[in-house]
Amino acid sequence: MTRPTAGPWTETEQEHALIPSPGPHPTLRAAAIEAVEVTRSYSFGDTTVDALRGVSFTVEEGEYAAIVGPSGSGKSTLMHLLGCLDRPTSGVLRVGGRNIADLGDADLAQLRNREIGFVFQAFQLLPRSSALDNVALPLLYRGVKASERRELAADSLRAVNLGHRLTHRPTQMSGGEQQRVAIARALVGQPRILLADEPTGNLDSRNGAEVMRILEELNTERGVAVVLVTHDDEVAGRARRQVRVRDGLVERDTAAEAGA
């Protein structure tokens, strides 16, 4: 699936990101993400927009990083690429050790859905389904038996302190609880990478802090590489590493500064 334009995630893209495809994890346990001089350009009639102009950085397995920048900086385009919802115009992007330029659509979907968990600002939960059924949905598409997927979904909800809300629908839950359901759904398939797009954007400060605490705990205890995209410097500051993007380029990378 290649995105023709930059901008916020569409509902269709979010649905594709949540539906797993069968297949094994890649055997190569390289860096979680590696970008080398990645560019992304979009054409609008006679006009070409260079959203990314040569981005290079690596996210190691188990790392906790924030991509931060103002509107129009290129951070959303970069998020689409890291989530395998788009391909670079040029450069090399490896996810889980695999160059996404070498993958067909089916293999790219398999990589995306086996290696990456997604958390969206707007939660993207099915309003008439229980928390348990929302979390179990990716496992349904994976062909997991009903009893097993319900057990795994319940375990995932307990991991985000929602074991008492298994049968509640999103409309019966607070915004913070809905975002925790979304995190549980992202983790139920045991991804290697968790991408969080403005995960606190629709939450008050108390619920936002709780969501961040859970993401940090999952990163520390499970070793999931967490990459969050935000315009909020306070949220970004909680990550162990900040990659600041401006005008389609990496303006500052605290990991590079630490190694200098």
Side-chain angles (χ1 to χ4, degrees):
M1 174 183 176
T2 300
R3 302 186 82 250
T5 61
W9 298 60
T10 66
E11 291 186 6
T12 300
E13 288 171 336
Q14 293 171 354
E15 290 170 1
H16 285 186
L18 297 174
I19 301 174
S21 299
H25 284 265
T27 57
L28 180 60
R29 303 303 288 182
I33 297 168
E34 182 183 9
V36 181
E37 291 297 320
V38 166
T39 72
R40 186 65 174 102
S41 300
Y42 300 94
S43 296
F44 303 92
D46 295 332
T47 303
T48 298
V49 175
D50 297 320
L52 295 176
R53 300 189 291 129
V55 170
S56 298
F57 68 95
T58 299
V59 177
E60 299 293 346
E61 190 163 339
E63 194 168 4
Y64 178 26
I67 298 171
V68 60
S71 177
S73 63
K75 66 182 187 299
S76 294
T77 298
L78 184 56
M79 184 70 155
H80 300 148
L81 293 174
L82 300 184
C84 297
L85 288 167
D86 196 5
R87 290 182 171 88
T89 301
S90 66
V92 176
L93 177 60
R94 296 186 182 93
V95 176
R98 301 180 70 182
N99 187 340
I100 70 170
D102 296 337
L103 304 178
D105 288 345
D107 287 338
L108 191 63
Q110 183 182 104
L111 177 67
R112 177 176 66 241
N113 296 319
R114 284 285 179 170
E115 292 290 303
I116 304 169
F118 295 86
V119 177
F120 303 108
Q121 178 178 349
F123 317 140
Q124 297 302 317
L125 302 175
L126 299 177
R128 298 181 181 179
S129 297
S130 68
L132 190 70
D133 288 339
N134 266 285
V135 174
L137 185 61
L139 301 178
L140 172 65
Y141 291 106
R142 194 174 288 183
V144 177
K145 292 181 180 179
S147 58
E148 183 180 357
R149 65 175 180 260
R150 289 178 69 85
E151 181 179 348
L152 291 170
D155 287 343
S156 193
L157 282 163
R158 293 186 189 103
V160 296
N161 302 319
L162 286 177
H164 62 298
R165 292 289 214 178
L166 301 185
T167 61
H168 287 68
R169 294 190 298 275
T171 53
Q172 299 171 307
M173 307 172 85
S174 70
E177 288 173 329
Q178 290 182 62
Q179 190 61 295
R180 282 188 276 159
V181 173
I183 293 171
R185 180 186 57 196
L187 292 171
V188 74
Q190 299 182 336
R192 186 180 182 188
I193 304 161
L194 192 149
L195 298 180
D197 185 17
E198 299 282 6
T200 65
N202 284 349
L203 305 177
D204 59 31
S205 58
R206 181 179 65 82
N207 281 305
E210 174 64 8
V211 164
M212 292 303 297
R213 185 194 67 78
I214 289 172
L215 291 176
E216 291 156 9
E217 185 178 277
L218 293 168
N219 169 254
T220 301
E221 296 185 359
R222 296 196 183 192
V224 178
V226 174
V227 179
L228 61 90
V229 170
T230 183
H231 69 279
D232 189 326
D233 286 332
E234 183 177 349
V235 171
R238 296 185 60 146
R240 290 190 290 274
R241 174 186 180 190
Q242 295 82 41
V243 179
R244 187 169 295 277
V245 179
R246 184 179 294 274
D247 297 330
L249 295 167
V250 173
E251 180 182 59
R252 180 185 178 198
D253 185 344
T254 58
E257 293 173 0

